[in-house]
Amino acid sequence: RTRLWENADYFHKQLTGLGIDTGSSTTYIMPLVIGDRERMYRLGHELRHRGLWVAPVDYPAVPQDRICFRACVTANHTREDLDEALNILADTLVPSQMQPV
């Protein structure tokens, strides 16, 4: 359990640092809020292509402006696993924030 919560805390802090909206999640299951159905499905294909699977959560399960992916962290994830997932998410979900204006 300790490792699970360490992994979840690490992943959540890193997502927040990337500017990814995780709602009010305080668990090892966290939303990655996209807020747009078309964008979510397009990004979902890219994430799977890059080897990262996150579950899509679409309206009416959530409000349309809270359409998201659901990411689950486990105790079996290594720090390298989490960092690789974070790199893929950063490249896929927030590229415009990382490019100079």
Side-chain angles (χ1 to χ4, degrees):
R1 284 187 283 190
T2 299
R3 184 162 174 189
L4 170 63
W5 290 109
E6 287 172 352
N7 283 348
D9 289 341
Y10 173 78
F11 198 69
H12 188 266
K13 285 177 186 169
Q14 298 303 311
L15 290 171
T16 300
L18 290 171
I20 296 174
D21 182 356
T22 59
S24 58
S25 175
T26 58
T27 72
Y28 54 89
I29 301 170
M30 49 198 90
L32 310 175
V33 178
I34 304 302
D36 176 85
R37 174 182 287 146
E38 184 178 319
R39 182 171 183 251
M40 181 196 55
Y41 283 106
R42 187 176 63 252
L43 291 171
H45 290 296
E46 177 65 22
L47 292 169
R48 282 189 297 283
H49 176 74
R50 303 257 331 251
L52 184 64
W53 190 87
V54 286
V57 183
D58 200 353
Y59 175 84
V62 294
Q64 289 187 4
D65 66 340
R66 303 303 290 170
I67 288 172
C68 62
F69 296 114
R70 182 171 291 143
C72 298
V73 175
T74 73
N76 289 329
H77 285 118
T78 64
R79 183 60 51 97
E80 291 79 20
D81 294 333
L82 298 175
D83 286 341
E84 178 63 19
L86 290 162
N87 286 333
I88 292 169
L89 290 167
D91 288 348
T92 307
L93 300 184
V94 290
S96 62
Q97 294 175 8
M98 302 177 82
Q99 296 174 0
V101 177

